[in-house]
């Protein structure tokens, strides 16, 4: 936890951007009947019945200090999908960065080994060399600001029926564009000093050891 908090209080460095990475899923839902559009004095209505149409995965990359985020919509969330998202992060989103400081959780696919599953060894190593990885602690996903941004995405864009992955991709891209144009940031205030006070119960208790008396 303290390692991640230290990262969050570094000053912004365009050559070493701090990027939070997380993922979520969205249930795709088709309408079984055509919705009725809104009219004078009448709200739009949809039937309570629907048809499940699978799920889609969303990879969130969020730079809190830069106010930049990028979301990739995929069919699955495998190690290979993760690896391709990381290559997009390195080569498309931050091609000029010397090093990307990556904050992510300990999901089993969020490992450098996933890159070797997707790419030849030299390519996997090239991407890994561009990353400085920091993991949030187990049960500490709230420390990942990408999770906060996913929550905003869910409330502002995904809290409705979306029928298929192409439509989801279009809707998410529009949300992403608007948020980036506004340069929405997160002003992280929680510090290591705060943690040592408010989360004192999580720290180990160190008891003094009485020296052993020797017999003479």
């Amino acid at each position: 936890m303290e390692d991640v908090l230290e990262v969050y209080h570094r000053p912004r460095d365009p050559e070493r951007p701090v990027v939070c990475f997380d993922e979520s899923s969205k249930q795709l839902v088709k309408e079984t009947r055509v919705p009725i559009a809104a009219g004078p004095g009448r709200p739009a209505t949809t039937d309570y019945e629907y048809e499940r149409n699978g799920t889609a995965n969303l990879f969130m990359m969020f730079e809190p200090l830069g106010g930049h985020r990028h979301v990739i919509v995929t069919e699955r969330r495998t190690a290979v999908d993760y690896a391709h998202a990381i290559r997009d992060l390195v080569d498309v989103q931050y091609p000029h960065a010397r090093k990307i400081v990556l904050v992510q959780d300990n999901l089993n696919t969020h490992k450098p080994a996933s890159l070797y599953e997707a790419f030849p060894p030299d390519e996997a190593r090239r991407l890994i060399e561009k990353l400085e990885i920091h993991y949030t602690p187990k049960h500490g996903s709230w420390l990942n600001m990408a999770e906060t941004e996913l929550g905003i995405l869910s409330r502002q864009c995904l809290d409705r029926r979306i029928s298929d992955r192409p439509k989801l991709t279009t809707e998410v891209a529009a949300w992403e564009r608007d948020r980036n144009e506004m340069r929405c940031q997160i002003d992280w205030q929680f510090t290591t000093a705060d943690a040592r006070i408010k989360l004192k119960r999580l720290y180990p208790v160190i008891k003094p050891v009485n020296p052993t008396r020797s017999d003479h």
Side-chain angles (χ1 to χ4, degrees), residues 58-62 67-73 88 92-93 149 152-153 156-157 168-184:
L58 300 104
F59 288 113
M60 169 68 74
M61 309 166 192
F62 176 48
H68 178 79
R69 75 278 296 135
H70 180 57
V71 184
I72 298 175
V73 179
D88 181 271
V92 179
Q93 303 304 314
E149 195 68 10
I152 296 170
L153 170 63
Q156 294 183 347
C157 179
L168 176 63
T169 302
T170 300
E171 296 291 331
V172 168
W175 174 87
E176 174 188 311
R177 183 181 62 251
D178 290 345
R179 292 278 290 174
N180 284 338
E181 288 177 354
M182 292 187 292
R183 299 186 66 82
C184 297

Side-chain angles (χ1 to χ4, degrees), residues 131-191:
L131 303 174
E132 176 190 320
I133 301 176
H134 297 262
Y135 290 103
T136 58
K138 189 176 182 181
H139 307 303
S141 62
W142 59 274
L143 286 165
N144 189 343
M145 284 190 267
E147 182 176 278
T148 303
E149 195 68 10
L150 278 171
I152 296 170
L153 170 63
S154 180
R155 293 192 301 273
Q156 294 183 347
C157 179
L158 305 182
D159 191 19
R160 54 198 168 94
R161 295 179 183 179
I162 298 178
S163 59
D164 52 48
R165 192 152 55 93
K167 181 173 177 59
L168 176 63
T169 302
T170 300
E171 296 291 331
V172 168
W175 174 87
E176 174 188 311
R177 183 181 62 251
D178 290 345
R179 292 278 290 174
N180 284 338
E181 288 177 354
M182 292 187 292
R183 299 186 66 82
C184 297
Q185 303 175 352
I186 292 179
D187 184 14
W188 186 269
Q189 296 292 318
F190 195 67
T191 66

Side-chain angles (χ1 to χ4, degrees), residues 59-90:
F59 288 113
M60 169 68 74
M61 309 166 192
F62 176 48
E63 183 192 356
L65 296 181
H68 178 79
R69 75 278 296 135
H70 180 57
V71 184
I72 298 175
V73 179
T74 62
E75 181 180 0
R76 301 172 301 169
R77 50 184 294 178
T78 66
V80 172
D81 294 306
Y82 165 80
H84 282 276
I86 291 297
R87 183 159 71 173
D88 181 271
L89 173 69
V90 170

Side-chain angles (χ1 to χ4, degrees), residues 26-30 51-56 75 162-164:
K26 169 64 178 174
Q27 175 72 56
L28 302 174
V29 172
K30 285 183 177 180
E51 178 185 342
R52 295 182 184 275
N53 193 32
T55 60
E75 181 180 0
I162 298 178
S163 59
D164 52 48

